[in-house]
Amino acid sequence: MNLKTNESRLVKMAVQGKPANPIRFAEFELDADGHGHSLPSVGGITYNVKVGDTAFGWRGDHIEPGVSVILDEEKRAGRQNMAFQFLACIGNEAMVISGSAKGAKGTVVGHHGGVEHLIVDFDAKNA
């Protein structure tokens, strides 16, 4: 069977982001019993939470597995950041282009709307 595709006409582009700094939404949050907690939240590079791990049991709130990436933290709703989010698709290859992990390759595994983070997973050997 010969499958016809439009692969030869697809536009190939590169986009470049940076690890998103962790965000702290409040000094502490109250649980259902009125106890205050200060927990890690979105952003940063999360070394011990990976794609496929359970979402339960962690001492955190909205933890993003792997590396949270953004183009512009100051203009999350800006046009350039929205283009970065749109063009970086789940399954795309990601590559570190500077620093001690230069050359490491990972995979785009998701988006986190609201904070506009792109989630990239790297093999443990690249962490």
Side-chain angles (χ1 to χ4, degrees), residues 24-61:
R24 186 173 180 188
F25 290 108
E27 290 184 32
F28 66 91
E29 296 183 27
L30 297 177
D31 65 19
D33 297 320
H35 298 106
H37 300 275
S38 184
L39 301 170
S41 189
V42 299
I45 300 172
T46 307
Y47 292 98
N48 65 331
V49 181
K50 302 293 282 175
V51 170
D53 287 348
T54 181
F56 303 102
W58 299 103
R59 297 293 297 154
D61 181 28

Side-chain angles (χ1 to χ4, degrees), residues 48-89:
N48 65 331
V49 181
K50 302 293 282 175
V51 170
D53 287 348
T54 181
F56 303 102
W58 299 103
R59 297 293 297 154
D61 181 28
H62 287 75
I63 298 299
E64 297 168 336
V67 181
S68 304
V69 181
I70 195 163
L71 177 68
D72 187 340
E73 291 180 286
E74 298 300 318
K75 298 178 183 174
R76 291 177 188 276
R79 290 172 43 192
Q80 289 85 359
N81 206 49
M82 293 299 108
F84 173 73
Q85 294 293 320
F86 171 75
L87 292 168
C89 299

